[in-house]
Amino acid sequence: MKFTVVGAGAMGLRYGVLLQEAGNEVEFVDAWEPHVNKMKENGGVYVTRDRQNRHLVPVKVYTPEEYTNTDADVLIFFLKQMQLADMLERCKHFFTPDQYVLTGMNGMGHVKKLLNYFDGSKLIAGTALIATILKAPGEVDFVGKVGAGSMNLANYTEEPDEMTHKVVAELAKANINPTLTTNFQGTLMAKVVFNSVVNTLCTLFEITMGEYAAFEKADELSLALINEAYDVCERAGVKMLNSRQEELDTVNYVSKVANPLHYPSMYQDMSKNRPTEVDYINGYLVDLGRKYNYEAHTHAFLTNLVHLAEHTRQQRQN
Ligand code: NAD
């Protein structure tokens, strides 16, 4: 199968390199020029796993304007939410009506934007429970052992077709451990709720997931956010995959057992003085609640706190 990965950042590289190593043809399109230039100069990307075994993986990488191939079976989108609209416009010359689209971006907002360019019958979206760090231009670190991490995904139509099963089979061969569901909104929202707790609080307090979960009042904090998010989702008619208690259990399992030493990706953005995706996570829940005359006060407060932290860092830099 041929994949074009749009967004060769941490996750685009993780998926693309693993799919390439599983025998697929993969090309990368990226707009961050120092990164694209470094990979071209080196003839590939330097990959480490848990900061060990640095080695060069050859990759084909292009800027959006350079790339003209229209023969990919699947386009994979891995960008930060606020980068997507511009990137879609810059890349639209290589989209065709037959191509499938796969994305595992965090937050919400991307689905609506992708549907401006692709038919819903071709859209497969999911959530990646996989941690990866773009350390510097041309340098990526895959967190976790081979086979670590997993993803949940669903068709926008909620009706998996033959091509979806083929894509899932390639993801499985690449050790990405996919689980296909038939609940589109519920699958995506489970991760939005998870991130609205863990990413946001760990980022604000500059702590690892393990440090957060070890705090004696962590469950109280998590439940306040989970309950409010579920109140929003219930009003919006989203059928959640997990109960509130199961969502809390997931927060604790992932933070205490699976990734205790990990700083969530939102923290990584904050620490590099890049804008965070908070408006598409906690902020998304606030906006969705308001459509149904429900005020998600805690999520609104946290969204503002993250913006205050971003603002403060910017001010100090200047
Ligand atoms: P990323 O920031 O590594 O890359 C996204 C894009 O930003 C790429 O095009 C990259 O080249 C560009 N970029 C990176 N650093 C830049 C800089 N300093 N200046 C300018 N451009 C820069 O993002 P990611 O971690 O791959 O995340 C993509 C999506 O996947 C997001 O929605 C994220 O929340 C989600 N996600 C990330 C992880 C993770 O562990 N990284 C896990 C699950 C989901």
Side-chain angles (χ1 to χ4, degrees):
M1 202 172 276
K2 177 162 180 179
F3 293 88
T4 298
V5 178
V6 181
M11 291 300 284
L13 283 166
R14 178 98 179 232
Y15 272 62
V17 166
L18 293 178
L19 286 164
Q20 183 170 292
E21 287 174 350
N24 296 285
E25 188 181 349
V26 179
E27 290 170 339
F28 296 86
V29 178
D30 201 75
W32 187 26
E33 290 199 3
H35 181 46
V36 173
N37 293 341
K38 188 54 91 180
M39 289 190 280
K40 285 183 177 170
E41 198 180 299
N42 294 339
V45 58
Y46 280 100
V47 178
T48 51
R49 201 175 264 280
D50 290 331
R51 300 184 294 279
Q52 307 291 317
N53 185 28
R54 182 173 178 269
H55 62 286
L56 186 70
V57 176
V59 293
K60 292 186 200 159
V61 61
Y62 307 84
T63 62
E65 289 69 29
E66 280 170 348
Y67 192 71
T68 52
N69 295 342
T70 52
D71 57 348
D73 302 297
V74 182
L75 301 171
I76 299 184
F77 284 87
F78 262 123
L79 294 153
K80 289 282 156 59
Q81 288 279 351
M82 46 283 186
Q83 299 168 325
L84 181 65
D86 178 54
M87 200 60 167
L88 282 164
E89 249 335 88
R90 287 177 67 178
C91 293
K92 64 181 181 191
H93 58 274
F94 62 79
F95 301 163
T96 73
D98 295 335
Q99 286 168 326
Y100 276 67
V101 174
L102 172 67
T103 179
M105 289 167 52
N106 279 338
M108 276 294 235
H110 55 317
V111 171
K112 211 169 150 192
K113 293 184 187 110
L114 288 165
L115 289 173
N116 290 332
Y117 295 83
F118 301 97
D119 193 76
S121 63
K122 306 287 183 195
L123 177 60
I124 309 170
T127 59
L129 308 163
I130 300 174
T132 314
I133 300 168
L134 190 66
K135 292 187 298 188
E139 303 268 348
V140 66
D141 186 52
F142 293 2
V143 178
K145 296 190 172 39
V146 173
S150 61
M151 85 174 295
N152 297 321
L153 69 171
N155 296 85
Y156 180 71
T157 58
E158 303 191 331
E159 287 172 10
D161 58 2
E162 199 188 329
M163 181 65 172
T164 303
H165 289 295
K166 284 188 186 162
V167 172
V168 170
E170 290 308 327
L171 292 167
K173 263 201 270 168
N175 263 323
I176 293 170
N177 302 319
T179 300
L180 184 64
T181 80
T182 50
N183 177 347
F184 187 77
Q185 289 287 340
T187 298
L188 296 186
M189 287 304 282
K191 182 86 185 295
V192 171
V193 176
F194 176 91
N195 286 337
S196 76
V197 178
V198 177
N199 286 35
T200 306
L201 294 176
C202 289
T203 302
L204 279 172
F205 292 93
E206 302 185 5
I207 51 177
T208 62
M209 291 160 69
E211 285 172 317
Y212 169 62
F215 174 55
E216 59 176 333
K217 298 274 185 183
D219 278 4
E220 215 173 287
L221 290 172
S222 301
L223 264 180
L225 291 165
I226 291 169
N227 279 331
E228 219 179 66
Y230 271 61
D231 289 350
V232 169
C233 290
E234 273 170 20
R235 283 166 175 77
V238 178
K239 193 169 156 280
M240 298 301 280
L241 284 187
N242 301 327
S243 67
R244 295 171 189 228
Q245 181 60 44
E246 284 165 346
E247 192 71 19
L248 177 64
D249 294 344
T250 305
V251 165
N252 281 323
Y253 177 79
V254 176
S255 306
K256 288 181 178 169
V257 184
N259 282 324
L261 303 178
H262 183 63
Y263 289 97
S265 54
M266 189 187 286
Y267 169 88
Q268 291 161 31
D269 289 333
M270 181 77 83
S271 62
K272 291 179 191 155
N273 293 320
R274 294 180 69 202
T276 70
E277 293 180 301
V278 71
D279 286 340
Y280 303 88
I281 299 175
N282 304 78
Y284 174 79
L285 290 164
V286 174
D287 292 344
L288 186 60
R290 284 180 187 157
K291 276 195 196 155
Y292 298 90
N293 301 318
Y294 176 86
E295 189 61 25
H297 290 285
T298 323
H299 286 282
F301 190 73
L302 276 188
T303 306
N304 288 335
L305 282 187
V306 172
H307 287 313
L308 175 61
E310 287 169 333
H311 172 78
T312 308
R313 291 183 74 101
Q314 284 298 337
Q315 296 288 104
R316 291 206 176 132
Q317 246 209 334
N318 296 335

